[in-house]
Amino acid sequence: FRIPLIDLSRFTEAKSNDEKKKTAQDIVDGFREVGFIYLDRHGIPEWQVKNAFDKSAQFFNMPQDVKDKLAWEDPRSNRGYVRVGRERVTQVQDPAEIAALRAKAPDTKESMEIGRDWDPTWRNMWPQETDAPGFKQTMLDFFRTCHDLHTVVMRAIALGLDLDEAFFQDKIDGQWHNLRLLNYPPVRRSLLKREGQARAGAHSDYGTLTLLFQDSVGGLEVQNPHTKQYQPAPPIPGTIVVNAGDLLARWSNDVLRSTLHRVVAPPAKKVSETESITPARQSIAFFCNPNFDATISCLPNCGKEAKYEPVTTEQYIVRRLGETYA
């Protein structure tokens, strides 16, 4: 079990159709066998990633009462600030059971959720420019950059599945994505040893792809689909971790895997004879979604009998988000 490292420039700068098809096949094979890949030479400049991390850190350093004014309100919107303990990601789908898990072992992280800024129904929850200078424009630019990369990867997936390269284009062009800024504060190791506790519990993602930008601290673990054991997916400088989500798995009739993963605590620093504290961690996840009115049903070339009933993007994601948050 190994997460493959893919040089995306071999697709975007291919000198021949055979070279392009080979890289597309490598990407599909990674999602077929593991559900995760590392993308190298992906085209997002290092300075832009660093700037997004810097502005994210500045946001989370704001006073708690200022952040709370931007609180997440509605799963249909999925926008705003989520304080530590409000979310409990899990594969459980019964609301009462999730509520019990959240009360017992909430995720030890806070986040800021950002959607497309021109949506006629749902608005982003932006901090005042005086509280977070440059934050809004930085995140709007990063959102667009991530959307553009996601369309390239979806073109490669289409080609790797023997579909027309533009097959997904009119199904993903609405930019119904979610840019999630994540902050994992330092936490006492004893708290993370409680039953069921984690920085982020085992879960799959809901959309088509997730682009994950990690800092150097680490903590992401991926479940081996064959042994069910978890193994680290450590940060590789300059790369992006990309994984397939539930809707891509449903679209492909499970040809492509939506693999369980979690965030655990990295090695802790000892502060007394009986206690140690884990370091803070930052990450940025860009959750790529099809258009909300897109119907997700079994793709051509992915089996004769569909495993799942057709569902729209909105139906699936709103239901899962409604179960996850308090």
Side-chain angles (χ1 to χ4, degrees), residues 304-316:
K304 295 180 180 178
E305 187 172 336
K307 295 182 179 181
Y308 304 99
E309 292 293 322
V311 66
T312 68
T313 303
E314 183 174 24
Q315 288 170 335
Y316 186 81

Side-chain angles (χ1 to χ4, degrees), residues 9 14 39 68 88 104 108 114 117-118 198 231 234 240 258 279 303 313:
S9 70
L39 271 191
D68 285 341
R88 181 53 160 94
K104 181 180 181 180
T108 54
I114 299 165
D117 203 46
W118 61 92
Q231 70 179 56
I240 304 170
S258 181
T313 303

Side-chain angles (χ1 to χ4, degrees), residues 51-72 79-83 110-114 125-128 131-136 139 180-183 282:
N51 194 34
F53 269 92
D54 289 345
K55 294 301 181 185
S56 177
Q58 291 168 19
F59 173 85
F60 289 116
N61 283 334
M62 293 194 307
Q64 188 65 49
D65 64 325
V66 176
K67 292 184 289 187
D68 285 341
K69 292 176 182 176
L70 307 172
W72 187 98
R79 288 160 165 80
Y81 170 71
V82 181
R83 64 158 48 225
E110 58 182 339
S111 66
M112 180 62 174
E113 318 289 333
I114 299 165
M125 312 283 280
W126 297 113
Q128 295 294 319
D131 292 329
F135 177 83
K136 178 178 179 178
M139 296 311 162
R180 170 179 287 187
L181 313 178
L182 288 150
N183 181 51
Q282 265 190 285

Side-chain angles (χ1 to χ4, degrees), residues 228-302:
K228 307 306 179 186
Q229 300 298 308
Y230 282 87
Q231 70 179 56
I236 299 176
T239 69
I240 304 170
V241 176
V242 184
N243 63 280
D246 295 348
L247 287 180
L248 188 57
R250 290 177 73 111
W251 232 341
S252 68
N253 218 25
D254 286 338
V255 169
L256 308 181
R257 294 180 182 272
S258 181
T259 301
L260 288 177
H261 51 285
R262 65 188 184 187
V263 178
V264 298
K269 179 180 180 181
K270 196 167 184 178
V271 294
S272 72
E273 289 300 316
T274 58
E275 187 60 279
S276 56
I277 294 182
T278 67
R281 175 181 184 259
Q282 265 190 285
S283 65
I284 298 175
F286 188 76
F287 296 105
C288 309
N289 298 318
N291 299 343
F292 256 33
D293 60 357
T295 298
I296 309 303
S297 58
C298 184
L299 293 168
N301 308 329
C302 289

